[in-house]
Amino acid sequence: MFNVETIRKDFPILSRKVNGKPLVYFDNAATSQTPQQVIDVIVDYYSNYNANIHRGVHTLSQEATDKYEQARQKIQAHFNAKFIHEIIFTSGTTHSINLVANGFSSILKKDDEIIVSALEHHSNIVPWQMLCERTGAILKVIPMNLEGELILSEYDKLLSKNTKLVFVNHVSNALGTINPIKTIIEKAHHVGAAVLIDGAQACPHIIPDVQALDADFYVASAHKMCGPTGVGMLYGKEEWLNKLPPYQGGGEMIAEVTFEKTTYADLPHKFEAGTPNICGGIAFGAAIDYMNAIGFETIAAYEHELLAYATEKLLEIDGLKIYGTSKQKASVISFNLEGIHPYDVGTILDKMGIAVRTGHHCTQPIMDYFKIPGTVRASFAFYNTKEEIDSLVTAVKKANMMLA
Ligand code: 7TS
């Protein structure tokens, strides 16, 4: 049985105070909090078997290597990748996307077309623009409607035999929209284009089955799903990862080096140059274990309750407008108070111990679409409570009175 009070005891940070008030942490879309079970794994690593991996005959190195490779296995199982070597450790979503974009520099030609969506985070826009600059490829954008949903009939019009790549997030960080990625992937494959799904915001709520989705690439960050910062993953279909050239050169990614010629290591090491975030990778595995022990269906159902409750309560406030009203939505609420800058609301909320994000959320095109400078964003996790939402609503009402 899911008991939020028991769950909250796993997160030491949730019992701290901010500005003399109990912390209410509603910035989970930026980074999630870390349970004691994952903190223990990090402490255990540095206390007992900190060593470099894949290169030592000594015991510590072997233990660290085993644990790191076990974490890769956990990720493979979680995302249902066919082969373990299809899982590449990276420093996070941004790194994963840049790795793929860089690889396509040698594949794309002038006038090839790349499609992104209007809902993308800057990290799923800028690397493709850079790729277009390098190759002469053309970037096209799937537009959205006022609810924050992608307009699939427009997507159909953009697709053609010139489309080589499609990049869409699974869940929008700014609006919470859950995108119909299975349909988006099917349509792209119909014209022979490859698809990268940015799962940074989906993975805290949903288990993506990369084989059932038939995604060519799927990327995520550990720090949004109860893991540490500085580590993430790239899933790529074996055939694609074999086609892409290495991203960085260095130790670990080679088969043989001479000054005349270097050959590269097999997957996954071809994309893992240098000493990785070993502890981070192991802790990523522990975070996946932690979330699976609670269960993603349980997590999603509870977060949905929080979302419905918060939406209803916030909409009772005079002059409050919610941006992103898609029918399929994760537990993210972006809102503004009429005539009040989001930054001012965020500052008052912080004084009351409530952490939200304010600004454009690295999605300036979405803000431009709504003609606003930014929003206040409250994003909920399974360790949040309805009482915390009540505190948010009270604080927003106060801000509304103070700033009106
Ligand atoms: N893609 C999406 C959809 C994201 O939400 C983020 C981070 C990224 C990519 C980049 O992830 P990173 O781990 O490489 O930084 N989003 C946010 C956010 O909404 N607030 O802070 C970071």
Side-chain angles (χ1 to χ4, degrees), residues 54-348:
H54 299 141
R55 39 188 121 182
V57 292
H58 63 82
T59 302
L60 261 54
S61 173
Q62 285 173 17
E63 284 179 14
T65 305
D66 287 350
K67 291 269 204 262
Y68 193 66
E69 291 307 322
Q70 279 163 20
R72 197 191 303 272
Q73 255 167 21
K74 286 177 190 177
I75 297 169
Q76 178 203 358
H78 185 73
F79 288 89
N80 194 29
K82 191 167 174 192
F83 303 115
I84 189 158
H85 55 260
E86 292 177 322
I87 302 297
I88 312 295
F89 277 115
T90 64
S91 69
T93 302
T94 304
H95 176 188
S96 304
I97 294 171
N98 277 280
L99 187 162
V100 177
N102 185 73
F104 271 94
S105 298
S106 58
I107 294 175
L108 287 195
K109 294 186 193 60
K110 193 170 174 312
D111 298 331
D112 280 344
E113 291 176 4
I114 300 178
I115 297 178
V116 295
S117 94
L119 285 170
E120 297 313 306
H121 187 278
H122 294 165
S123 71
N124 210 18
I125 300 173
V126 184
W128 311 119
Q129 287 174 326
M130 289 161 67
L131 176 62
C132 287
E133 275 171 25
R134 287 197 295 271
T135 59
I138 299 160
L139 194 70
K140 303 210 159 176
V141 183
I142 312 170
M144 65 173 177
N145 63 22
L146 281 169
E147 279 73 44
E149 295 165 334
L150 296 178
I151 306 173
L152 291 190
S153 53
E154 294 296 322
Y155 175 48
D156 287 337
K157 289 183 206 157
L158 296 178
L159 285 165
S160 76
K161 63 175 181 6
N162 297 331
T163 313
K164 293 294 177 291
L165 292 165
V166 175
F167 305 105
V168 177
N169 61 36
H170 195 164
V171 170
S172 153
N173 69 314
L175 305 181
T177 314
I178 303 176
N179 288 313
I181 56 166
K182 194 158 181 2
T183 309
I184 289 171
I185 292 169
E186 271 167 19
K187 285 175 185 284
H189 284 171
H190 202 66
V191 297
V195 186
L196 180 143
I197 301 294
D198 171 354
Q201 294 294 339
C203 290
H205 317 287
I206 299 167
I207 300 183
D209 180 329
V210 292
Q211 288 190 75
L213 289 168
D214 202 18
D216 299 290
F217 301 97
Y218 196 101
V219 299
S221 297
H223 71 93
K224 296 197 197 283
M225 44 190 307
C226 297
T229 53
V231 65
M233 55 79 75
L234 160 68
Y235 158 79
K237 277 185 189 161
E238 183 187 54
E239 54 177 295
W240 273 116
L241 292 179
N242 279 330
K243 259 185 236 171
L244 298 188
Y247 181 40
Q248 292 181 318
E252 277 294 286
M253 53 74 73
I254 53 91
E256 224 172 314
V257 177
T258 67
F259 281 113
E260 288 69 41
K261 185 171 168 53
T262 289
T263 50
Y264 304 125
D266 291 334
L267 295 172
H269 306 293
K270 173 177 142 185
F271 293 110
E272 294 183 351
T275 301
N277 183 349
I278 303 165
C279 177
I282 296 168
F284 188 5
I288 286 178
D289 283 346
Y290 177 81
M291 294 192 74
N292 275 317
I294 299 170
F296 275 81
E297 278 184 21
T298 307
I299 288 172
Y302 178 68
E303 288 173 344
H304 197 75
E305 244 180 70
L306 293 180
L307 175 69
Y309 183 74
T311 304
E312 188 193 320
K313 293 284 167 192
L314 283 171
L315 283 175
E316 286 169 7
I317 298 173
D318 274 350
L320 186 143
K321 179 169 177 186
I322 290 179
Y323 296 90
T325 49
S326 164
K327 282 178 276 308
Q328 300 295 324
K329 203 177 150 174
S331 50
V332 171
I333 301 185
S334 255
F335 65 90
N336 274 332
L337 293 170
E338 201 181 338
I340 301 173
H341 198 282
Y343 178 81
D344 295 335
V345 180
T347 307
I348 289 181

Side-chain angles (χ1 to χ4, degrees), residues 16-24 349-355:
R16 74 159 278 185
K17 292 198 165 166
V18 169
N19 294 322
K21 305 273 175 9
L23 166 68
V24 172
L349 295 186
D350 180 55
K351 293 253 177 325
M352 301 185 204
I354 301 171

Side-chain angles (χ1 to χ4, degrees), residues 1-11 37 290 383:
M1 274 296 284
F2 180 79
N3 181 328
V4 70
E5 288 312 323
T6 311
I7 297 273
R8 286 177 70 81
K9 292 200 181 91
D10 291 338
F11 293 82
Q37 289 85 335
Y290 177 81
Y383 42 74

